[in-house]
Amino acid sequence: MLRELRVRDLALVAESRVRFGPGLNLLTGETGSGKSLIVDALGLTLGGRGGADQVRHGAEKATIESVFESGGTSVVLLRELGKRGAARIDGRPANPGQLRELGRALVALHGQHEHHALLDTDTQTELLDAYGGAAELRAATATAHAAWTAKVNALGDLDRLRSRGQREQEYLSWQLEELKSADPHPGEDEELSAERSAVRHAARLAELGHEAISALHEDALARAAAALGSAAELDPRLREQAARLSALESEVADVAAEIRRYTELLDSDPGRLEVLESRLAVLDGIKRKYGGSLDAAITERSRLESQLGATQDLDAAMAAAQRERDRSRAELEAAASRLTKAREGAARRMQKAVAGELAGLRLEGSRFEVELRPRADIGPDGSEAAEMMFSANPGEPIAPLARVASGGELARLMLAIKTVGADADKLPTLVFDEVDAGIGGEAAIQVGLRLKGLGTRHQVLVVTHLAQIASFADHHLVVEKSPGTDGRNVVTVRELATDEERARELARMMSGGVTPKALARARELLEEARR
C-alpha cells in the first residue's frame, strides 16, 4: 500500500508530505490547484518521464519519494530531477527503468494517457487475461513459445552449418583444438594469480610468518592459563575463565602450527614463477579471444564440442532436431489452445459484466463486446488478440474502441473493467485521474459507489472535481494553492479530519462557495454515501 509521498521543489510544490491510507483516497481542490501534479509526482517515482524543466524555479533539483508498505516492510522509491537526475530503491542506486519494473507490481495509473492505452489491442488482451484469471496459461504459452523458438533456431543452426560446409567445420575444429589444448578450468586464473603473488613475495611472507610464530610462542598466555587454572582450584568461580583461557592457548598453538606449515611450503623458485607467468599468459589470451573470462571460454568449448559433434552425423542430428521442433510445436499449440478456451469463456463473462456496469455509468443503451481476432501465427501471448468493441448509443453500429469511444467514455469503460475484475486484479494500488470526465448527477454517484467498492479490495487514489464522488472518500485530501513567503504560489496538501471540514469542501465543489444551502446539501451527500 502507498503510505506516503514526499515532494520537494517540483513545479509549484515547495515541500509537501502527503499521507495515504487504506480504501478510497480522494484528492480535490480548485481548478489549477495542482491536483494532477500530485499524481504526476507519484508517477515520477514509478519511472515516469521527467526533466530539469519540472524543477521549481530557483531550486537546483526536485526530489520525490514514495513509500510503500507490505507485510510490515517498507519500500522507498526516490527520484531526483535536475542537471543530474538520479533514482534509488531503498537507498540503492537505480534507473527509471528499474523503477518502472517495480512500479508495475505496485500501482496501476489510470490517467488520460492510460485511458488511451485501452485503445491498444495488446492492452485489451492483457485486461481480458487478467479478468479471466489466465495469467498462468498465458505464461505457459509464452514458455512453450520460447521453447519452440529455441528448437527452430537450433535446427536453423544445423542447417546453416551444413550449408557452410567443410571450410567452416575446419575453422570451428581449430578453435576447439585451441581451447582443448589450453584446457582452462573454472577459477584457474584467480588461483594462479594468488600463487604468483605468493612466489614473488615468498621471502617476505616467510619472514612475517616466523615473526608471527615467535610472537605466538611467547609463554605469557601459557603462564596466564596455568596461574588461572591454579586459582580456579582455590575458587571455583574462576573455572569458566580458566577454561576459556585454556581454549585460547590451544587455539593459539593450532594457529602457530598452521603458519609453520605454510612457511615450510613457500616456494620462491624462479622456475615456478616462470611457469606461472607462462600459464597466465596462455589463459589471458584465451580470455581475450573467447568472451573475456574463463567461464565464457569454457562455455564456448562446450558449445563447439556440441556443434562439431552434431556435424559428425549431420543428417541424423537434423532429423533429431526436426523431431524436437515438431514436438515443441505440438506443445505450443496445446498451450495456446488452452489459453484460447479460457479467453473465450472470459470474453463472454466480461461482456455481460461490463454491460451491467455501463448502465449505471450514464452509458445507457451502450453496447460492449469482446471479440477474439486470430493472429497469423501463434505468438508468446497466444493465437489471438482481444479487441473490445463499443457502441455508445442505440442504433449505432458497434465498432472498435479506437474508432468510436470518446475520452470520457474510455475513462468510464476502464472503471467498469476494473470494477468487474477487482477480484482478479493483483495490483495493490489503483490511481484514477479524470475518471469523472463528462459526467454528473446520478452517474457521478454510481462512479463513486464503484470506486468505493474497489476500495474494499485495493487501495484507490482518485483525483476528482465532483462532490458526489468525493463524498465516498475514506481519506479526503485537499490540494491548495496559496502565496508563499517569496511571493510565488505554492501547492500544499492536507487531509480533512472532520465531517465539518469535508462538508465545507463538498459545498465549495458544488457551488464555488460555502453557502448554508450548499453546506446542507453537502451534509446530505455524506450521509447518503455512508448509507
Side-chain angles (χ1 to χ4, degrees):
M1 184 170 66
L2 176 64
R3 280 294 187 188
E4 192 170 50
L5 183 67
R6 306 165 191 155
V7 185
R8 181 190 292 270
D9 293 326
L10 178 69
L12 295 178
V13 181
E15 184 171 4
S16 185
R17 188 173 183 176
V18 189
R19 292 182 175 85
F20 302 93
L24 180 57
N25 296 258
L26 266 298
L27 275 171
T28 66
E30 295 183 358
T31 302
S33 62
K35 299 185 294 296
S36 293
L37 179 60
I38 302 302
V39 175
D40 293 342
L42 174 61
L44 287 170
T45 68
L46 301 173
R49 290 185 178 181
D53 59 320
Q54 293 170 272
V55 178
R56 179 173 166 78
H57 180 66
E60 292 184 359
K61 65 180 181 180
T63 305
I64 312 99
E65 286 181 292
S66 59
V67 182
F68 292 85
E69 187 175 289
S70 175
T73 61
S74 294
V75 178
V76 180
L77 310 183
L78 179 142
R79 185 79 177 275
E80 290 181 350
L81 304 178
K83 291 182 180 179
R84 297 181 63 183
R88 293 186 181 87
I89 299 174
D90 284 338
R92 298 186 300 272
N95 58 52
Q98 290 169 315
L99 291 180
R100 281 193 294 274
E101 182 177 354
L102 180 57
R104 279 194 289 267
L106 296 172
V107 178
L109 283 170
H110 301 292
Q112 186 176 16
H113 172 74
E114 288 72 24
H115 295 154
H116 282 88
L118 183 57
L119 303 178
D120 178 63
T121 56
D122 288 340
T123 301
Q124 295 172 11
T125 306
E126 290 173 6
L127 287 168
L128 177 65
D129 290 343
Y131 173 78
E136 291 186 3
L137 292 176
R138 183 180 176 120
T141 302
T143 300
H145 185 271
W148 172 71
T149 301
K151 300 300 183 184
V152 169
N153 291 338
L155 180 60
D157 287 342
L158 288 174
D159 188 51
R160 285 188 291 273
L161 184 61
R162 183 168 63 178
S163 300
R164 285 195 294 264
Q166 186 64 31
R167 184 176 178 181
E168 175 70 10
Q169 293 184 43
E170 290 175 356
Y171 175 65
L172 296 179
S173 297
W174 176 83
Q175 287 184 308
L176 179 59
E177 185 57 36
E178 182 180 40
L179 286 167
K180 283 184 173 180
S181 177
D183 193 24
H185 305 291
E188 182 184 1
D189 51 347
E190 295 177 359
E191 295 173 5
L192 294 182
S193 294
E195 184 181 353
R196 178 177 62 184
S197 179
V199 173
R200 283 177 174 174
H201 304 290
R204 178 59 176 160
L205 287 169
E207 178 185 346
L208 292 171
H210 291 311
E211 182 179 331
I213 292 170
S214 297
L216 293 173
H217 278 168
E218 293 179 0
D219 62 352
L221 185 59
R223 286 187 287 108
L228 198 58
S230 298
E233 293 177 359
L234 300 175
D235 185 350
R237 291 177 297 176
L238 293 173
R239 285 176 181 170
E240 181 182 350
Q241 291 84 349
R244 290 168 60 189
L245 202 54
S246 177
L248 283 175
E249 183 184 12
S250 176
E251 182 71 16
V252 167
D254 287 346
V255 171
E258 290 178 7
I259 296 174
R260 182 181 296 107
R261 287 193 293 271
Y262 170 80
T263 56
E264 290 172 352
L265 293 173
L266 283 171
D267 185 0
S268 59
D269 181 9
R272 178 56 181 166
L273 183 60
E274 185 177 346
V275 169
L276 291 171
E277 296 284 9
S278 175
R279 179 58 177 170
L280 284 168
V282 170
L283 295 179
D284 286 342
I286 290 295
K287 288 192 290 186
R288 283 194 300 272
K289 291 179 67 174
Y290 297 103
S293 69
L294 281 191
D295 287 342
I298 292 168
T299 299
E300 179 64 10
R301 180 178 63 189
S302 298
R303 189 190 72 81
L304 290 171
E305 287 174 339
S306 175
Q307 190 166 345
L308 285 168
T311 64
Q312 294 172 3
D313 189 0
L314 197 54
D315 289 339
M318 289 196 67
Q322 288 170 344
R323 289 193 296 272
E324 283 294 302
R325 178 202 60 189
D326 295 343
R327 179 186 61 79
S328 62
R329 178 68 186 192
E331 291 175 353
L332 171 60
E333 290 174 354
S337 178
R338 289 190 291 270
L339 179 58
T340 297
K341 186 175 181 179
R343 283 173 172 167
E344 289 170 347
R348 289 191 295 270
R349 297 194 306 273
M350 177 180 270
Q351 287 178 179
K352 184 177 180 180
V354 171
E357 290 294 323
L358 294 179
L361 293 173
R362 204 182 172 186
L363 289 170
E364 301 89 343
S366 63
R367 293 165 58 206
F368 175 82
E369 295 178 5
V370 181
E371 295 189 3
L372 299 178
R373 309 287 191 193
R375 299 183 187 274
D377 194 12
I378 301 174
D381 49 359
S383 301
E384 60 282 313
E387 186 165 32
M388 295 181 180
M389 312 290 285
F390 183 68
S391 171
N393 300 297
E396 291 184 0
I398 197 164
L401 286 181
R403 289 169 45 192
V404 296
S406 66
E409 290 164 348
L410 283 176
R412 280 173 278 171
L413 274 169
M414 180 64 84
L415 176 58
I417 291 169
K418 284 293 177 180
T419 299
V420 301
D423 289 333
D425 198 333
K426 303 302 182 184
L427 286 172
T429 299
L430 308 177
V431 180
F432 292 91
D433 193 6
E434 301 185 15
V435 73
D436 56 9
I439 64 170
E442 179 60 27
I445 292 175
Q446 293 298 322
V447 168
L449 280 169
R450 283 155 180 79
L451 293 170
K452 183 75 170 180
L454 284 176
T456 65
R457 300 172 179 86
H458 307 267
Q459 182 189 39
V460 181
L461 173 59
V462 178
V463 176
T464 185
H465 67 279
L466 294 179
Q468 294 94 326
I469 293 176
S471 65
F472 288 93
D474 294 307
H475 304 276
H476 191 153
L477 304 163
V478 175
V479 183
E480 298 170 321
K481 185 192 295 183
S482 58
T485 55
D486 57 1
R488 291 183 293 160
N489 285 335
V490 295
V491 171
T492 58
V493 183
R494 62 185 178 90
E495 182 170 1
L496 302 181
T498 67
D499 281 353
E500 186 59 26
E501 286 184 313
R502 292 187 62 195
R504 293 181 70 83
E505 173 63 9
L506 297 185
R508 181 204 62 75
M509 295 172 70
M510 287 187 290
S511 63
V514 184
T515 65
K517 184 176 180 180
L519 266 175
R521 177 55 184 149
R523 293 182 183 118
E524 288 177 2
L525 279 176
L526 290 173
E527 186 59 34
E528 290 170 2
R530 287 191 185 96
R531 291 200 302 271

